[in-house]
Amino acid sequence: MPGSSDYRKTVFVPETGLPVPPGEIEPIPASMQDRIEHVLIPAGCLQRRVRGLAEQMGEDLRGRKRVAFLVVLKGPFMFAADLGRAVYRFGGPEIAFYFIRVSTYGRSIERDGRVRGKTKILLQPGEIREEDLVIIEDIVDQGSTLSAVRRHLAETGRTSARFCALLDKRLEAPCEAVRKQREELRLDYVGFEIPDRWVAGYGIDAGEDFRFLPFIVVVREDYYRPASP
Ligand code: IMP
Ligand code: MG
């Protein structure tokens, strides 16, 4: 059985034949089969990777007494909760949780290759007193959300932070502006790189469905894509 480090940046896509430990892919309940294509990352893989990230974070932040997690709601709530507990288990620093909410206008699950519209901070994190800050995000797609968080923090005088994303989407055809935006983000911690598909589960939603699932699935885009005018 491979150790947690072997799961770094590994994608578990059944149709590619990549290795997934036997029995870890759970059947999709019949009531959800019209909306879900397949399991992308089984629960066991997620938990192992979370432990790997916690270990890495604990090492990077060795000697710090208390570190702030700034969770970009809502998607990473489950990931952040598991990660915080795993950091504790690995003897890492104490964690203080803060939450921020960002809205991106004009979100669509269609891929048009453009940088999406404007972002707005809907929930302020409040005063973050800790010297060390880790931004916790669920998915980096075009990078607009994390860029907005970074800009917001800079406006409040905070220029350094680490970035942690559970999923890093490998965009199929990003335009130059998107490529640049993503490059500028420089993620410090990435759980998995995933293909350019719409995913849900483990806190992440598709039209508010599936946040409760303990694993990550690829959803049927034809179900969630808004009908064309
Ligand atoms: P970005 O701003 O383009 O990087 O998009 C990141 C945000 O969009 C994430 O915080 C998610 O909330 C959302 N998002 C991106 N891709 C997906 C997906 O496949 N499923 C669900 N939400 C997604
Ligand atoms: Mg989000």
Side-chain angles (χ1 to χ4, degrees), residues 116-134:
R116 276 191 287 261
K118 290 179 181 298
T119 49
K120 189 176 166 193
I121 305 294
L122 296 180
L123 174 72
Q124 305 279 338
E127 195 197 340
I128 299 171
R129 285 180 296 274
E130 290 71 18
E131 213 170 289
D132 293 283
L133 173 64
V134 185

Side-chain angles (χ1 to χ4, degrees), residues 72-76 104 107 109 111 116 119 137-147 167 169 171 181-182 185 194-195 197-200 204-207 211 219:
V72 187
L73 290 173
K74 302 180 199 171
T104 308
R107 171 157 306 289
I109 66 169
R111 307 257 147 260
R116 276 191 287 261
T119 49
E137 171 67 308
D138 52 354
I139 307 180
V140 178
D141 188 310
Q142 302 201 22
S144 306
T145 306
L146 282 188
S147 297
L167 306 176
K169 218 179 253 193
L171 299 181
Q181 178 164 271
R182 289 184 46 110
L185 278 176
I194 61 164
R197 304 293 309 278
W198 199 258
V199 300
I204 300 162
D205 78 308
R211 289 195 198 273
V219 303

Side-chain angles (χ1 to χ4, degrees), residues 176-191:
E176 187 53 26
V178 169
R179 216 189 41 71
K180 192 156 167 281
Q181 178 164 271
R182 289 184 46 110
E183 210 175 85
E184 280 169 5
L185 278 176
R186 274 193 215 98
L187 301 173
D188 299 278
Y189 306 97
V190 171

